[in-house]
Amino acid sequence: MSDLKTKAEGTRTIRVGALARVEGEGALHLAMKNGEVDRVNLEIYEPPRFYEAFLRGRDFREVPDITARICGICPIAYQTASCYSLEKALGVYDEVVGDATIQSMRDLIYCGEWIESHILHMFMLHLPDFLGYESAISMVADHGDAVKKALKLKKIGNDLVALLGGRAVHPVGMCVGGFHRAPDQKNVDAILPELREGLQIISELTLYLAENVTFPDLERDYEFVSLCPDDHYPMNLGRIKSNKGLDVAQEEFGKAVTEIHKEHSTALHSTIIGRGGYMVGPLARLNLCHDRLHPLAAELLPKVCKAMAKELPWQNNFFSLIARGIETVHAFALSIDILEKYERPARCCVPITPKAGWGGHGTEAPRGVCWHEYRTNEDGKIEMAHIMPPTAQNQTTIEEDLWEMARRVVDLPDEEAALKCEHLIRNYDPCISCSVHFLKFNRSWK
Amino acid sequence: MPAETILVAACGNVMAADDALGPMVAARLRERQLPGVEVVDLDLRPAGLLDLLIVPRCALIVVDACQIEDDHEKDENLIEMRWRDGGKEAIIHDDVLSTHGLSIANQLEMAEAMDLLPEEAWLELAKIRNATIGDLPSDEIESAAQAIAKRIEQLTEKLHEPAQHA
């Protein structure tokens, strides 16, 4: 929907409301001066800072279920990051990480979240942009069967989350120290055939998209940041590294970046100290860790690169559509591996005695690194909580991308320019969870 | 899930004042244990509605809170409407019903386009004024949740009557 208004001579303001394919609220304002881009503000509102305040004084056991409510799409990211951070603070991290069963269960539930979130974004939020549809509704009229296949995949992701989390929406199965209970064998056996079928479907769909989608040409010299474990694709564990020399232990990440408040946004803008904006998310993970993909995803990758005529590293964030596809293949294949070896464990939680301590840890949300830190007192109550969600970390880089895009669309009509900027923002699958549901586009001319 | 099941999908945020309507209604419906009715609390993930519709159902009832800026029917706080009847475009707007990536309205349209939407698709809504995170639900919304649960009980009884499906 658009609302075009011509204002005073020399100044033109355009508002485009109802961008329904972004999670939460935001407003984009482009200021043009003498035909050049003068200012780019992506105004977003992030609620996690409220959570940091009301976590104080809470028992450590409450934290995973409270932080899960920061986001309806990626509760597992908030649960895993808070659990690992608190396990460090409470002195049981090594025992939890050393327990292969707990680790595989955490990887498995995360696979469910990646599948659900990536499929939602790829096929219902982002793909309409690439195929030239105004919305997912208009796309469905022509591609209903493909969307039905995607819904089936998404449901498998939900089922995986429910298998370990007790329910798909705001799962409650994970706890500090592990899980409240392990899945029954019969439920594991029931989901395996669906996963095998889903793996086949997503492999075919990803290759189809690589072969048939045309991507806008916008390459930039990004600093990609992700967890980089030595022996597997990033998800729960590993040092945090970049393609430009960042290489820190998990606990040090909070000191490597700085969060800046800007007047136009309630979300803090993250930058790497001494350098600048950086990108987290599927493109960063794939570029930095593609050699650690599951063998079945690794087998697909060269076919995809050939179809797109682009070798890694990909510097074009519009390719994140395909990166999500590859990661979804990885998540399906990894889930099958874990469940084929599954035997119901005698225990799935490490006992914890409350104590004073501090811990910091990030895990890979579908949108990128979600980093938490907590300080507990001797009773296990939270004294300090600090959360860096991925969308806030990406905000500086989104604005830098928009500068580049704004230059390229300066001659286009406002409505068309707005659509291209919105398409670019959706590359990041921004999760701007809050109570109002649209992005307003505003470009003024002087 | 058999096709004769009625799906009740409730949306809302229990931490955001009167936006808690959906989960409150879902809790009351679970207490009633209505036969042939599956109650799903979509909570903060209204975008999960579409996933639920790939399983055939005989009817769908969506429960949600809505905020309407230019409200011409100020006395009518509870709204029961059949999706396909239309006529209340101001209510079935992306900005009014819960969204999070895909709005309820978008998903109902997509489901209809893919022949996934049951013939009987209903909205049970309550108009709210406060969805501030951290605020408690008002007394009015407690009453509204009770009233909507009662309405849904009556509606599901009607929808389960064979003559109503003809």
Side-chain angles (χ1 to χ4, degrees):
Chain A
M1 268 150 284
S2 65
D3 175 15
L4 306 181
K5 290 178 183 172
T6 302
K7 293 202 168 178
E9 194 174 332
T11 302
R12 194 155 54 127
T13 302
I14 307 100
R15 289 188 177 85
V16 179
L19 180 74
R21 287 179 282 137
V22 162
E23 168 111 351
E25 175 189 18
L28 171 62
H29 183 191
L30 302 185
M32 314 297 289
K33 194 173 183 180
N34 301 324
E36 298 289 329
V37 185
D38 186 47
R39 194 172 74 249
V40 173
N41 287 348
L42 178 64
E43 300 157 5
I44 64 174
Y45 307 93
E46 284 278 352
R49 296 304 179 266
F50 296 119
Y51 282 80
E52 290 167 337
F54 64 65
L55 282 167
R56 288 199 291 269
R58 295 275 186 176
D59 187 274
F60 75 89
R61 295 171 192 87
E62 295 180 274
V63 175
D65 292 335
I66 293 174
T67 56
R69 302 195 65 83
I70 290 173
C71 180
I73 302 292
C74 46
I76 302 302
Y78 285 92
Q79 288 189 322
T80 51
S82 58
C83 282
Y84 285 116
S85 301
L86 284 165
E87 285 152 6
K88 286 176 181 174
L90 297 162
V92 295
Y93 175 79
D94 289 341
E95 194 178 350
V96 170
V97 169
D99 187 315
T101 300
I102 293 173
Q103 282 319 297
S104 62
M105 285 171 67
R106 285 195 173 163
D107 285 347
L108 186 62
I109 196 169
Y110 227 144
C111 285
E113 180 160 289
W114 277 23
I115 292 168
E116 194 277 334
S117 177
H118 279 356
I119 295 290
L120 169 69
H121 185 70
M122 287 172 69
F123 292 96
M124 278 147 246
L125 308 183
H126 208 192
L127 193 55
D129 289 328
F130 292 101
L131 299 184
Y133 292 98
E134 181 195 353
S135 68
I137 300 159
S138 50
M139 186 181 77
V140 157
D142 294 334
H143 300 282
D145 286 345
V147 175
K148 277 185 193 171
K149 279 185 186 172
L151 286 176
K152 194 171 177 181
L153 298 177
K154 191 163 171 280
K155 184 179 176 302
I156 298 170
N158 290 340
D159 291 346
L160 261 187
V161 173
L163 180 73
L164 292 116
R167 59 189 190 191
V169 179
H170 290 303
V172 291
M174 200 186 305
C175 60
V176 182
F179 284 82
H180 292 297
R181 75 185 297 275
D184 294 329
Q185 190 66 46
K186 67 175 171 27
N187 295 333
V188 168
D189 294 342
I191 201 171
L192 263 168
E194 292 182 44
L195 284 163
R196 293 188 187 108
E197 186 188 352
L199 173 62
Q200 183 69 29
I201 294 170
I202 187 59
S203 301
E204 290 167 7
L205 283 173
T206 301
L207 188 56
Y208 177 84
L209 292 177
E211 288 169 342
N212 291 284
V213 169
T214 303
F215 296 92
D217 180 21
L218 198 157
E219 296 205 344
R220 289 188 53 232
D221 182 20
Y222 297 104
E223 178 151 12
F224 298 110
V225 172
S226 84
L227 275 61
C228 290
D230 293 334
D231 52 355
H232 54 271
Y233 198 72
M235 196 168 266
N236 279 310
L237 306 174
R239 290 176 69 84
I240 300 179
K241 299 182 185 179
S242 83
N243 57 325
K244 296 194 174 183
L246 178 76
D247 184 355
V248 293
Q250 282 272 2
E251 296 79 4
E252 301 299 315
F253 187 59
K255 293 177 191 160
V257 301
T258 182
E259 292 179 295
I260 305 158
H261 177 254
K262 295 201 175 177
E263 197 177 335
H264 64 265
S265 180
T266 54
L268 299 176
H269 288 53
S270 299
T271 54
I272 293 176
I273 291 170
R275 286 208 287 279
Y278 58 98
M279 183 197 291
V280 296
L283 198 69
R285 290 190 291 258
L286 190 69
N287 280 332
L288 293 173
C289 301
H290 57 90
D291 57 340
R292 278 149 274 178
L293 282 164
H294 186 281
L296 294 177
E299 190 182 309
L300 180 66
L301 186 59
K303 296 176 191 166
V304 162
C305 288
K306 187 179 175 191
M308 295 164 66
K310 277 284 180 189
E311 294 301 316
L312 292 174
W314 291 340
Q315 302 285 349
N316 179 344
N317 199 23
F318 287 96
F319 294 173
S320 63
L321 178 84
I322 303 299
R324 287 187 180 90
I326 296 284
E327 287 197 333
T328 310
V329 172
H330 171 85
F332 268 99
L334 181 59
S335 304
I336 293 167
D337 279 3
I338 292 170
L339 288 178
E340 281 179 341
K341 294 174 194 151
Y342 180 77
E343 285 179 19
R344 197 161 193 274
R347 79 160 196 180
C348 55
C349 189
V350 168
I352 294 171
T353 305
K355 60 173 271 206
W358 174 90
H361 193 97
T363 67
E364 288 286 354
R367 291 149 194 83
V369 179
C370 179
W371 193 84
H372 295 206
E373 64 175 320
Y374 300 94
R375 191 172 61 244
T376 54
N377 67 14
E378 65 275 12
D379 298 324
K381 298 263 192 295
I382 304 301
E383 287 189 338
M384 180 277 290
H386 175 209
I387 297 169
M388 291 200 295
T391 296
Q393 294 184 66
N394 275 333
Q395 194 173 349
T396 301
T397 300
I398 299 174
E399 288 187 343
E400 289 168 358
D401 276 5
L402 284 166
W403 271 93
E404 182 59 37
M405 180 59 82
R407 281 190 206 105
R408 296 179 182 210
V409 300
V410 73
D411 295 327
L412 293 180
D414 290 318
E415 198 154 350
E416 205 175 322
L419 281 174
K420 287 193 179 293
C421 291
E422 290 165 3
H423 184 180
L424 181 149
I425 292 168
R426 280 192 281 268
N427 284 334
Y428 290 85
D429 190 8
C431 186
I432 312 167
S433 301
C434 91
S435 57
V436 185
H437 314 300
F438 57 91
L439 182 139
K440 289 176 179 162
F441 175 81
N442 179 312
R443 182 167 64 167
S444 61
W445 298 83
K446 288 183 180 172
Chain B
M1 193 64 60
E4 59 265 27
T5 303
I6 296 171
L7 173 65
V8 178
C11 313
N13 184 353
V14 294
M15 290 179 161
D18 289 355
D19 194 33
L21 174 86
M24 289 164 72
V25 172
R28 280 158 182 74
L29 289 174
R30 286 204 187 95
E31 287 167 8
R32 289 168 194 242
Q33 297 190 324
L34 305 177
V37 177
E38 183 193 7
V39 179
V40 175
D41 184 355
L42 288 170
D43 207 295
L44 284 181
R45 196 163 63 167
L49 174 63
L50 207 48
D51 314 3
L52 300 170
L53 297 178
I54 57 176
V55 179
R57 325 273 182 166
C58 69
L60 167 69
I61 301 170
V62 175
V63 185
D64 201 357
C66 64
Q67 288 185 298
I68 306 169
E69 281 183 15
D70 300 316
D71 186 3
H72 301 296
E73 297 177 74
K74 290 187 168 34
D75 296 335
E76 190 187 7
N77 280 325
L78 302 188
I79 301 163
E80 181 179 77
M81 58 179 293
R82 203 166 171 267
W83 166 256
R84 288 190 169 88
D85 286 349
K88 294 200 177 191
E89 284 76 11
I91 296 164
I92 315 168
H93 189 278
D94 286 351
D95 294 352
V96 175
L97 296 180
S98 293
T99 172
H100 286 264
L102 273 184
S103 73
I104 291 292
N106 281 342
Q107 290 180 87
L108 292 173
E109 283 190 56
M110 288 173 73
E112 196 164 14
M114 291 187 286
D115 291 327
L116 296 176
L117 193 66
E119 181 61 31
E120 292 290 347
W122 290 75
L123 299 177
E124 293 284 354
L125 312 171
K127 289 188 268 186
I128 62 167
R129 288 170 195 85
N130 182 18
T132 306
I133 289 178
D135 283 1
L136 291 171
S138 64
D139 291 343
E140 289 79 8
I141 216 69
E142 296 272 1
S143 306
Q146 197 63 38
I148 289 177
K150 181 73 183 163
R151 278 186 176 195
I152 290 174
E153 185 172 4
Q154 292 165 347
L155 179 59
T156 54
E157 281 171 10
K158 269 202 294 184
L159 291 170
H160 273 310
E161 289 170 14
Q164 296 294 320
H165 294 290

